[in-house]
Amino acid sequence: MAKVKGDIIIDIEKCKGCELCAAACPQHSLELSRKLNSKGYHYIVKIEDNCTGCTNCALVCPDSVIRVFRKTEKKKEQVATITNVTGDITVKVKS
Amino acid sequence: MKELKLMKGNEALAEAAIRAGCDAYFGYPITPQSEVLEYLAKEAYARTGMVVLQAESEIASINMIYGAAGTGKKVMTSSSSPGISLMQEGISYIACAELPCLIVNVVRAGPGLGTIQPAQSDYFQAVKGGGHGDYKLIVLAPSTIQEMVDHTKLGFELAFKWRNPVMILTDGALGQMMEKVELFPQTERKFELLPWATTGKTKDRGRSIITSLYIQPEVMQEKNLHLQKKYKSIEREEIRFEKYKCDDAEVVLLAFGLVARICKKAADLAREKGIKAGVFRPITLFPFPYEEVNTLADSSRIFLTVEMNAGQMLEDIRLAVNGKIQVDFTGRMGGIIPTPEEILEKIIEINEGVPA
Amino acid sequence: MNERRMLDDSHYENLIEEESVCINENLVYDKPETLTKTPMHYCPGCGHGVAHRLIAEVIDELGIQEKTIGVAPVGCAVFAYNYFNVDMSEAAHGRASAVATGIKRVLPDRYVFSYQGDGDLAAIGTGETIHTCNRGENILIIFINNGIYGMTGGQMAPTTLEGMKTTTTPFGRDVQAMGYPLKITELIAQLPGVYYCSRVAVNTPVHVRKAKKAIYNGFKFQELNKGVSFVEIVTNCPSNWKMTPVESNKWLEEHMLPFYPLGDLKLPGKEN
Ligand SMILES: Cc1ncc(C[n+]2csc(CCOP(=O)(O)OP(=O)(O)O)c2C)c(N)n1
Ligand code: SF4
Ligand code: SF4
Ligand code: SF4
Ligand SMILES: [Mg+2]
């Protein structure tokens, strides 16, 4: 199974604190901060490190505040096997 | 070689539009100007590829004009009084967004649905605004079919020179009658990408935005000041008028459009009776030749304004004369064209009443 | 600034050796280029913003920025021209489709779209809407149905639901007195000049994805020269519905969508 690891960057100055992203996040990773941005809005912050990079939050955000990143780590494949001359050490090289 | 043709006013105007290289016409039928749309529908596309579209209303037509004029194309519409009333919101937007276009009003008598007979009762609407806000149209008033042709070409030139809507204020009689006209040769239609026009934002320029919305009062005022400055420049450069036997005239008839022709006849009749009469005809109603009228008041004894309305241009004449001499008025309403004889009668009546 | 820095450091200490996911090659969602940097003036959680972003994404993806001309309405989206990085024209209230007609007729190879509210498109501009569609103008009409007059402060719209309270229907819309909510999209779909007609929403991620597809179709179909593409987007107006954005999207799902069901009303190649 491929392991998915996501993350987001929130442009907090542009966030209007509508919480639509939080409501759309299946991982419940997002919450309103108690702090205000310079426009006077409570802004959204990531409270858990369980983001999968599903983009749901960005899709529903009216102000294009969220950038989403996703790293898909493919299962490592063996690309070579190296054995020393005496044959007592074998190293498997994975991608 | 001169190209002379006997043509109906509305058709001559439509022919001139094609020859001026007009790119698109949007309009809605209304008597007495439907021939413009009909003529163009038949002639234009095959000859120059010009777009001709019958819209669902005058509101739609003027907003199609707004959109198409915003691309920098040469566009026009025509209508008659009630239809022009419907267009006023759009005209105000076009004036504020400073889009070039030609609007033709073949005036019929009102108010209301009125009659399809000719009148000049839309002078105020054309010259003093019509729609909301402080704006001006450049208004041309042809008095012959030849001028219907020439003003169409001139109208497009002025519209682009000043980025301002131009109105040809004519009437049902000029639209319907036939006269021999000299046609100018076909101008090729060419598409120029203008920097302000909405033609698609290419990398070499910023976005073009056509709007009349300036939500901050300071900015809106700035826009207004800019417009007023432009209108002042137009007043300096574009005034056009005609004088007929005015040099020695004691009685000056002041009239625009069709009525000016009748006044010329009346002036000739008056001269036969020994009254030195002449005619002053503003060709541009905005900009109005205030100074020329004022100067003329120095050398004449009587001013008689003649119009096919209740006395609309009369107000501008009085403004120009500024009390120097008496300004009288005679006119017809309801679609009746005054005769030279009735104007002569009025001349004689006033002439006897005003001491030399 | 990256929001990660704002959280307390201890939260990140145990993550320290993990390399950041936030690198360009992992970027899967970003603001489209066709949106300008200008912050939008819409209320928090307003669907106009999502609709704008989707249009911009499609323009980006099709690579048609230089050939697109938009028409903004009078309504909350009156400033749409500040947000789209394309040439735009601001139309009078209700006249956007006539303005779009004017543009498209003289520039037939450009992509032209109008963006209109329910008051704009289905009340004051009904005539222009129907006739533009009936002429089969080759444009995309985006219809934002939020069931209310947003800009003027929450008056009844033609699309206001029966019983719905607005400032001009303080006791709820009484259909006997005020008439019925107008399903103009269903009317439009009947017209032969309409090539594609769809109703979408932007209240959930799934709906947003479908909405984008519809907008994509709307632009793409202009290349075929076959007539109007009409995309209704059912949206919220948290401010005038007097709800939080999250509540408004839920209310939209429960009340608006049963009356304005989502889906294609006319899809080329499919008998309807
Ligand atoms: C001719 C004219 N009439 C009325 C108005 C006032 N007005 C501005 S926006 C609007 C309604 C907007 O509602 P809608 O089209 O639904 O857009 P929304 O704000 O909901 O997105 C009205 C009545 C106007 N600007 N022009
Ligand atoms: S949806 Fe966008 S604007 Fe709303 S809270 Fe989330 S990030 Fe902020
Ligand atoms: S990308 Fe998905 S998991 Fe990550 S914060 Fe956004 S909605 Fe939640
Ligand atoms: S008033 Fe309603 S439609 Fe207008 S921006 Fe606010 S939430 Fe959106
Ligand atoms: Mg609305």
Side-chain angles (χ1 to χ4, degrees), chain C residues 195-227:
Chain C
Y195 186 62
Y196 172 62
C197 185
S198 189
R199 184 186 281 124
V200 296
V202 290
N203 63 325
T204 67
V206 174
H207 288 162
V208 170
R209 285 198 174 87
K210 288 187 180 160
K212 182 170 169 185
K213 179 74 192 141
I215 294 168
Y216 184 94
N217 287 343
F219 274 102
K220 197 73 188 151
F221 286 150
Q222 286 193 44
E223 290 163 14
L224 304 175
N225 218 12
K226 293 238 165 116

Side-chain angles (χ1 to χ4, degrees), chain C residues 71-250:
Chain C
V71 183
V74 175
C76 279
V78 70
F79 282 122
Y81 57 75
N82 283 335
Y83 311 134
F84 290 109
N85 197 9
V86 298
D87 282 358
M88 298 277 295
S89 191
E90 209 297 299
H93 191 26
R95 318 302 168 205
S97 72
V99 173
T101 298
I103 297 170
K104 186 76 182 195
R105 287 279 174 146
V106 294
L107 296 175
D109 66 338
R110 303 301 200 273
Y111 295 82
V112 178
F113 73 95
S114 76
Y115 185 101
Q116 305 177 250
D118 38 26
D120 194 85
L121 180 140
I124 192 167
T126 313
E128 283 78 5
T129 304
I130 300 233
H131 286 282
T132 301
C133 289
N134 198 48
R135 281 192 306 267
E137 300 292 343
N138 240 304
I139 60 168
L140 166 62
I141 298 178
I142 304 272
F143 168 40
I144 303 294
N145 175 8
N146 57 9
I148 205 145
Y149 283 10
M151 188 197 209
T152 40
Q155 297 83 6
M156 181 185 72
T159 47
T160 297
L161 296 177
E162 182 172 358
M164 191 171 159
K165 281 188 182 160
T166 70
T167 58
T168 48
T169 56
F171 311 108
R173 182 176 189 159
D174 171 4
V175 295
Q176 296 302 322
M178 323 276 187
Y180 296 85
L182 180 59
K183 291 186 179 180
I184 194 152
T185 307
E186 273 78 355
L187 275 173
I188 291 297
Q190 306 304 313
L191 302 173
V194 175
Y195 186 62
Y196 172 62
C197 185
S198 189
R199 184 186 281 124
V200 296
V202 290
N203 63 325
T204 67
V206 174
H207 288 162
V208 170
R209 285 198 174 87
K210 288 187 180 160
K212 182 170 169 185
K213 179 74 192 141
I215 294 168
Y216 184 94
N217 287 343
F219 274 102
K220 197 73 188 151
F221 286 150
Q222 286 193 44
E223 290 163 14
L224 304 175
N225 218 12
K226 293 238 165 116
V228 168
S229 291
F230 190 95
V231 176
E232 170 179 344
I233 307 178
V234 183
T235 58
N236 59 353
C237 174
S239 298
N240 289 302
W241 290 3
K242 313 220 182 309
M243 295 173 195
T244 67
V246 174
E247 283 166 5
S248 75
N249 271 351
K250 201 157 162 275

Side-chain angles (χ1 to χ4, degrees), chain A residues 8 21 24-27 29-30 46 50-58 68:
Chain A
I8 57 171
C21 52
C25 176
Q27 300 291 99
S29 316
L30 305 170
K46 207 177 83 170
N50 56 357
C51 171
T52 60
C54 72
T55 73
N56 275 6
C57 52
V68 185

Side-chain angles (χ1 to χ4, degrees), chain C residues 12-25:
Chain C
Y12 280 105
E13 258 153 32
N14 46 2
L15 297 173
I16 216 94
E17 71 273 38
E18 281 217 31
E19 72 178 283
S20 172
V21 182
C22 299
I23 52 172
N24 277 344
E25 64 171 88

Side-chain angles (χ1 to χ4, degrees), chain A residues 10-11 14-22 24 30 44 55-67, chain C residues 29 32 35 40 45-54 57 202-205 208 249:
Chain A
I10 304 165
D11 187 349
K14 284 215 178 120
C15 174
K16 292 178 183 162
C18 70
E19 293 186 278
L20 292 181
C21 52
L30 305 170
I44 217 78
T55 73
N56 275 6
C57 52
L59 283 171
V60 297
C61 174
D63 291 276
S64 306
V65 168
I66 303 174
R67 296 163 77 199
Chain C
Y29 211 102
L35 283 187
M40 295 189 189
C46 173
H48 275 302
V50 182
H52 282 26
R53 199 192 67 234
L54 295 181
E57 283 176 15
V202 290
N203 63 325
T204 67
V208 170
N249 271 351

Side-chain angles (χ1 to χ4, degrees), chain C residues 46-68:
Chain C
C46 173
H48 275 302
V50 182
H52 282 26
R53 199 192 67 234
L54 295 181
I55 293 168
E57 283 176 15
V58 169
I59 294 172
D60 275 8
E61 278 168 34
L62 290 170
I64 55 170
Q65 200 180 355
E66 295 193 8
K67 298 196 91 185
T68 300

